[in-house]
Amino acid sequence: MTVRVAVVGGGPLGLAALKNFKEDGFEVTLYESRNWVGGLWKYSDDAALSTAENTIFNSSKYRTAFSDFPVTDDMDDFPTAPQLHRYMERYCDHFDLWPSIHLNSPVKEVKRVGEKWEVQI
């Protein structure tokens, strides 16, 4: 019996969780409220939290990268927010995560129903 898993949020940790659950054989779906992955690393002028347009990450790209997905040479040593956002999109491309990602799907409630969890989007 395949175990179904829901990941809430498509930021860096949500993407890493999605990838690892998929690799371990789970039936997994990631729900992201916005129309992109990468969490706050994509600038937005709406009311939700995001990076500023000119944000530069305060950690080296070599310490920031996922252990199984190295950064590219063209990324700055201290990446800009757009570079980090694109890196996360490339991560989704590389590990074929897109089919498991539901954008524009805010999770409204997670509750226990009998022996299962119900996720309402």
Side-chain angles (χ1 to χ4, degrees):
M1 180 170 142
T2 303
V3 177
R4 294 176 60 196
V5 175
V7 175
V8 180
L13 295 178
L15 296 176
L18 171 61
K19 179 218 165 247
N20 285 294
F21 277 126
K22 281 186 65 162
E23 286 181 345
D24 287 344
F26 291 89
E27 181 184 329
V28 59
T29 302
L30 183 145
Y31 298 98
E32 169 54 48
S33 64
R34 301 180 97 163
N35 65 353
W36 64 80
V37 296
L40 60 80
W41 290 108
K42 179 176 168 116
Y43 170 74
S44 174
D45 61 1
D46 62 16
L49 182 65
S50 83
T51 184
E53 288 182 274
N54 60 349
T55 298
I56 297 174
F57 198 56
N58 65 350
S59 183
S60 162
K61 67 180 178 181
Y62 302 107
R63 296 187 141 210
T64 302
F66 292 112
S67 61
D68 56 357
F69 190 67
V71 295
T72 56
D73 291 338
D74 63 341
M75 185 183 281
D76 295 344
D77 285 341
F78 291 87
T80 65
Q83 288 174 328
L84 285 172
H85 176 249
R86 179 65 194 127
Y87 173 74
M88 286 178 255
E89 289 181 323
R90 287 188 3 264
Y91 183 82
C92 293
D93 294 341
H94 181 78
F95 292 107
D96 194 29
L97 301 180
W98 294 111
S100 300
I101 296 173
H102 291 241
L103 300 174
N104 295 311
S105 299
V107 173
K108 302 296 184 189
E109 182 178 25
V110 177
K111 66 181 178 181
R112 190 79 169 167
V113 177
E115 295 295 313
K116 297 184 178 188
W117 288 96
E118 182 179 282
V119 179
Q120 294 180 357
I121 58 169

